[in-house]
Amino acid sequence: MAPSLEQLRQAMAQRSAAKVPARVSSRAAVALILREAGGGLELLLIRRAEHPRDPWSGQMAFPGGRAEPGDRDLEQTAVREVAEEIGLDLTRSAEALGPLDEVRAMARLRPMDLTIQPFVFHLHEAAEAQARSEVESVHWLDLDRLLAAGARSTHEYRHEGQLLRFPCLRVDGLVIWGLTHRMLLGLAERLRAVCG
C-alpha cells in the first residue's frame, strides 16, 4: 500500500468518525502519531508498563488515556496524555488530521463502561519520544509493513483456563492485538478507500 502523507490526509478527510451508540460513563482518547521516514510513513506505538491493575498491562498500544474534567475535548485528552506518557508536545510539533471511529473498550473479553476515540496526527518536526513511568518502550514501525498481508497473524491468549486465539499483527517481534489492532484496522480501511 505504501501510503503517502497526502493520501493519509485524504483518507482522514473522507468521512466523519462514527460514534459508539451505547451510553458509557467514561471516555478516553489515544493518538496515532505518524512521521515521514525513508520515503514512507512510520507509526508510533508504545509497550505499556507492567502493572497489576492495568487490564492492558504489557501490551502494545497507542499513547493515551482517560478524559479528565479539565480537558476541553477528547483531542485535548490525547494531546495531554501523549505529553505525559512520552514527552511529545503535539500542539507544537504535529498536525492534527482528525479522528478515527470510536471503539468500545474490552478487557478480558468483557465490554467496559468506556469508549476510546483515536486521533491521527502527523509529526511535522523532529521530536524525541521518551518512555515515562506508564510506558515500557517506544517503537516507530513502518506503516506499509504493518498494513501488509504478511504482518497478519494469530495471537494466543489464555483466559480463565481457556486458550483463545485473536487476530493480530506481527512486526519486528512485536505483537499488536486487541483494541490497538482494531484501531489499526480502522486506519487501514480509510487508507484502502484512497489508495486502492
Side-chain angles (χ1 to χ4, degrees), residues 24-164:
V24 293
S25 61
S26 269
R27 300 186 78 204
V30 297
L32 281 71
I33 304 166
L34 294 112
R35 69 180 183 187
E36 293 172 282
L41 294 171
E42 290 181 330
L43 178 64
L44 183 144
L45 285 103
I46 61 169
R47 182 184 299 282
R48 296 173 67 90
E50 298 282 344
H51 193 285
R53 290 189 8 230
D54 180 0
W56 305 290
S57 177
Q59 293 183 20
M60 297 302 296
F62 297 116
R66 291 179 190 254
E68 293 184 356
D71 294 340
R72 179 185 66 250
D73 54 25
L74 285 172
E75 184 176 315
Q76 186 180 25
T77 298
V79 168
R80 175 183 53 74
E81 286 284 338
V82 165
E84 290 173 9
E85 291 185 353
I86 57 173
L88 289 181
D89 180 358
L90 295 180
T91 57
R92 185 174 55 82
S93 58
E95 168 192 7
L97 300 180
L100 292 171
D101 294 345
E102 188 177 51
V103 297
R104 180 76 180 261
M106 302 280 289
R108 296 177 182 90
L109 304 181
R110 293 183 179 87
M112 296 177 66
D113 189 24
L114 172 71
T115 57
I116 305 170
Q117 182 77 69
F119 289 89
V120 178
F121 294 88
H122 166 240
L123 200 61
H124 55 64
E125 62 180 52
E128 185 81 23
Q130 299 175 341
R132 297 198 171 161
S133 62
E134 297 176 44
V135 177
E136 178 69 28
S137 55
V138 176
H139 305 267
W140 285 101
L141 300 177
D142 181 89
L143 183 62
D144 194 37
R145 287 182 62 207
L146 274 170
L147 301 181
R152 295 182 202 141
S153 186
T154 303
H155 175 67
E156 293 185 345
Y157 176 71
R158 190 163 292 282
H159 178 69
E160 296 177 354
Q162 188 176 13
L163 187 63
L164 305 169

